[in-house]
Amino acid sequence: MWLLTALLLWVPVGGQMADPTKAVITLQPPWVNVFLKETVTFRCEGPRLPGNSSTQWWVNGTAIRTLTPSYRIAAASFSDTGEYRCQTGLSMASDPVQLEIHKDWVLLQVSSRVVTEGKPLSLRCHGWNNKQLSNMLFYQNDTILKFSPWDSEFTILRTNLSHNGIYRCSSKIKQTYTSAGVSITIKELFPAPVLKASSSSPLLEGDLVNLSCETKLLSQSPEVQLYFSFYVGNKTLMNRTTSSEYQLLTAKREDSGLYWCEAITDDGNILRHSPELKLQVLGLQSPTHMWFHVLFSLATGIIFLVNTIFCVIIHKELQRKKKWNLEIPMDSGQGKKAWKPTPCGI
């Protein structure tokens, strides 16, 4: 049944592949790492067939018999460590959630090990058997992020790329314990845009030029809207629209310059600039100026041709006279005249 559902979700619609929503796994409590014997509940969220709440679950790639929207582990054991996925009747399979089971005095719990830029990251310094903790310190790459005498949780509301790193916490029970490090990866929501022009530089006056600010959102963030702005130097050409394109309808020489664009999320928290693109617009020559160059080139060609013809005629005449001189008898008392080069170099 699940194979048939997956195939139906990829049937072409209107000549294009359907793009169904992925299922999403949520956890209660919301941590992907827990202590031995603690309870964990997975819940699968996604579109379903009417009147049908059945859900397919996979653990480490193997389908399990549980078909309910929730999957509960009452007392976690080390064998429960692994990768969990789910799929509802009208969704694609979810991204995997990696569950880890630990036994230690102190554990830094995290809501996710991989977080999309701009999303929150929750941390909790947790004691074995729910022991009361005090004087908690949260670290990122051995730098203190927060100290709290009693609050065991810490949330970074909007993550950015600087939040990549190894996190840990320390706390006092009877003595001070430090948790193992947890690696957190922040995924870029979208790369820096690249500004492209429909025509290569240099351009001619009067050309139509399309500028496109090209970037791409992660597929996991369809709800995010990007806005685009276009600039030349410090001058704003178009400010914060949903269109990623800008047109120079009739390029002019004064349009030459360094162009760039920026993309920003609708909440304004993530902004990226493109590298600069140099555009040069060349002016068109006037008809009079163009005709002058044509006539000048034609006149130069005619002069060169006439000069060449005269040089050939002179050369032939000199050759004829030289031959006549050589035929005069030696006893005529006239010596041979010295030959001199002509102006043509012959």
Side-chain angles (χ1 to χ4, degrees):
M1 172 189 172
W2 289 99
L3 177 60
L4 177 60
T5 301
L7 289 173
L8 288 173
L9 287 170
W10 287 99
V11 171
V13 178
Q16 295 182 344
M17 290 294 183
D19 186 18
T21 303
K22 279 186 177 182
V24 176
I25 294 178
T26 58
L27 292 91
Q28 185 60 40
W31 315 112
V32 295
N33 49 346
V34 299
F35 277 131
L36 194 67
K37 297 184 180 180
E38 289 188 324
T39 299
V40 181
T41 301
F42 297 86
R43 181 165 184 82
C44 190
E45 299 177 356
R48 303 177 186 277
L49 294 166
N52 185 352
S53 63
S54 63
T55 304
Q56 180 62 64
W57 291 92
W58 291 270
V59 179
N60 294 324
T62 301
I64 59 177
R65 293 183 179 180
T66 300
L67 296 177
T68 58
S70 297
Y71 177 64
R72 185 170 182 265
I73 300 173
S77 65
F78 290 121
S79 63
D80 292 314
T81 296
E83 183 181 274
Y84 292 76
R85 297 169 71 103
C86 73
Q87 182 179 353
T88 62
L90 293 176
S91 75
M92 294 297 292
S94 69
D95 290 327
V97 171
Q98 187 76 27
L99 181 68
E100 288 184 358
I101 312 301
H102 295 266
K103 184 177 182 180
D104 207 341
W105 286 108
V106 172
L107 174 67
L108 178 66
Q109 294 184 298
V110 297
S111 55
S112 178
R113 292 181 194 82
V114 180
V115 183
T116 300
E117 184 181 20
K119 298 293 185 181
L121 170 65
S122 295
L123 310 171
R124 180 194 186 201
C125 204
H126 184 36
W128 174 255
N129 283 335
N130 286 317
K131 290 186 181 297
Q132 182 68 45
L133 302 181
S134 62
N135 297 328
M136 282 154 284
L137 285 167
F138 293 86
Y139 301 86
Q140 179 195 4
N141 299 328
D142 297 324
T143 299
I144 296 175
L145 290 176
K146 179 186 176 182
F147 167 77
S148 174
W150 300 109
D151 188 2
S152 63
E153 294 191 23
F154 172 51
T155 298
I156 301 172
L157 295 177
R158 291 188 179 91
T159 55
N160 56 53
L161 299 183
S162 71
H163 292 124
N164 280 297
I166 305 296
Y167 289 73
R168 55 174 52 87
C169 71
S170 65
S171 183
K172 189 173 182 180
I173 303 177
K174 290 182 179 180
Q175 63 184 68
T176 299
Y177 293 95
T178 300
S179 72
V182 180
S183 177
I184 300 295
T185 301
I186 309 299
K187 289 195 300 184
E188 197 174 48
L189 181 62
F190 62 94
V194 176
L195 183 62
K196 294 185 177 180
S198 58
S199 302
S200 59
S201 187
L203 309 166
L204 292 178
E205 277 192 315
D207 282 353
L208 168 65
V209 184
N210 289 312
L211 298 177
S212 59
C213 193
E214 298 184 3
T215 188
K216 187 177 181 181
L217 280 167
L218 287 177
S219 58
Q220 295 92 330
S221 304
E223 75 283 359
V224 176
Q225 175 66 61
L226 288 182
Y227 289 84
F228 299 90
S229 301
F230 291 82
Y231 305 87
V232 54
N234 295 323
K235 178 183 176 183
T236 302
L237 300 174
M238 187 170 76
N239 191 36
R240 295 201 179 183
T241 70
T242 56
S243 174
S244 61
E245 295 191 352
Y246 177 78
Q247 279 190 334
L248 291 172
L249 295 176
T250 306
K252 302 175 183 177
R253 284 203 293 181
E254 53 266 33
D255 291 325
S256 297
L258 296 174
Y259 287 73
W260 54 283
C261 68
E262 69 179 18
I264 187 171
T265 53
D266 46 5
D267 59 8
N269 287 316
I270 303 173
L271 181 150
R272 291 197 168 89
H273 301 276
S274 74
E276 292 178 325
L277 174 66
K278 183 177 181 179
L279 291 183
Q280 183 181 9
V281 182
L282 302 179
L284 292 175
Q285 294 180 335
S286 66
T288 302
H289 190 66
M290 188 168 57
W291 275 111
F292 172 79
H293 278 283
V294 170
L295 293 175
F296 179 79
S297 299
L298 183 60
T300 303
I302 291 172
I303 291 171
F304 177 78
L305 180 60
V306 170
N307 186 57
T308 302
I309 292 172
F310 273 115
C311 286
V312 170
I313 293 172
I314 292 171
H315 174 70
K316 288 183 177 180
E317 182 64 23
L318 289 175
Q319 289 284 18
R320 186 182 65 79
K321 288 183 178 181
K322 183 179 179 182
K323 184 178 179 182
W324 180 79
N325 288 335
L326 290 174
E327 290 175 351
I328 297 175
M330 293 298 293
D331 58 357
S332 62
Q334 297 180 357
K336 198 181 349 178
K337 295 182 179 179
W339 177 81
K340 294 183 180 180
T342 69
C344 295
I346 301 173

